[in-house]
């Protein structure tokens, strides 16, 4: 038991001071990516749901932590879409219930791990499929494609363009 509890003790670490230039590049990416999605939502796809909460977390990864394995295009796109598909299936089978929520999140984690496409906001996309209300329920099996697939694709294009403007950034690291 002592060994088990010792694992929970954190080590002291000193965080490096923030790099304001890197933070500004992250801000520019997040602003541009979400701005593009909002513009598309307002002007081109105004009758469809295009903005979902998981895009906020995706923005943190692809713009502020672009070197993370979770931020690479394959993970962002396929992890999110696969998870959304799992979420829709859980909603269709069990409705908006606690069991559907539990299965959507846990099965999306399993599916992403087994497919090597782990993207933490993907679990939020699965959760959104179950608890997203009427707008999400109306989309049904289209939800993984739109808003999830289209929104992730737009943000990835912006991430590739903005992240590579900075001399010290390279995105993606791999496909």
């Amino acid at each position: 038991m002592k060994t088990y509890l010792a694992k929970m003790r954190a080590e002291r670490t000193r965080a490096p001071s923030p790099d304001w230039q890197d933070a500004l590049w992250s801000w520019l990416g997040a602003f541009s990516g979400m701005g593009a999605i909002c513009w598309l939502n307002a002007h081109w796809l105004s009758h469809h749901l295009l903005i979902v909460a998981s895009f906020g977390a995706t923005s943190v990864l692809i713009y502020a932590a672009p070197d993370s394995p979770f931020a690479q295009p394959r993970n962002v796109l396929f992890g999110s879409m696969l998870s959304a598909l799992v979420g829709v299936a859980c909603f269709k089978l069990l409705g908006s219930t606690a069991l559907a929520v539990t299965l959507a999140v846990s099965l999306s984690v399993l599916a992403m791990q087994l497919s090597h496409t782990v993207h933490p906001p993907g679990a939020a996309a699965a959760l959104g499929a179950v608890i997203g209300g009427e707008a999400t329920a109306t989309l049904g099996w289209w939800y993984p494609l739109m808003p999830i697939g289209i929104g992730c694709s737009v943000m990835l294009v912006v991430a590739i363009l903005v992240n590579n403007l900075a001399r010290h950034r390279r995105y993606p690291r791999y496909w």
Side-chain angles (χ1 to χ4, degrees), residues 16-120:
S17 43
D19 180 348
W20 65 271
Q21 289 178 327
D22 196 46
L24 286 176
W25 282 110
S26 299
W27 172 83
L28 178 63
F31 182 85
S32 302
M34 287 307 298
I37 289 174
C38 288
W39 184 88
L40 284 171
N41 188 65
H43 294 91
W44 187 50
L45 298 168
S46 58
H47 300 297
H48 303 283
L49 172 70
L50 190 58
I51 301 170
V52 292
S54 64
F55 291 167
T58 295
S59 293
V60 172
L61 286 169
I62 64 178
Y63 304 120
D67 291 336
S68 167
F70 302 143
Q72 300 311 304
R74 179 184 67 215
N75 295 55
V76 172
L77 187 61
F78 296 120
S80 293
M81 290 179 68
L82 179 61
S83 295
L85 188 64
V86 168
V88 171
C90 289
F91 177 76
K92 294 281 189 185
L93 290 172
L94 301 166
S96 188
T97 63
L99 181 58
V101 166
T102 304
L103 284 172
V105 172
S106 62
L107 288 174
S108 71
V109 170
L110 178 66
M112 287 187 289
Q113 280 191 291
L114 292 176
S115 64
H116 300 285
T117 60
V118 175
H119 180 62

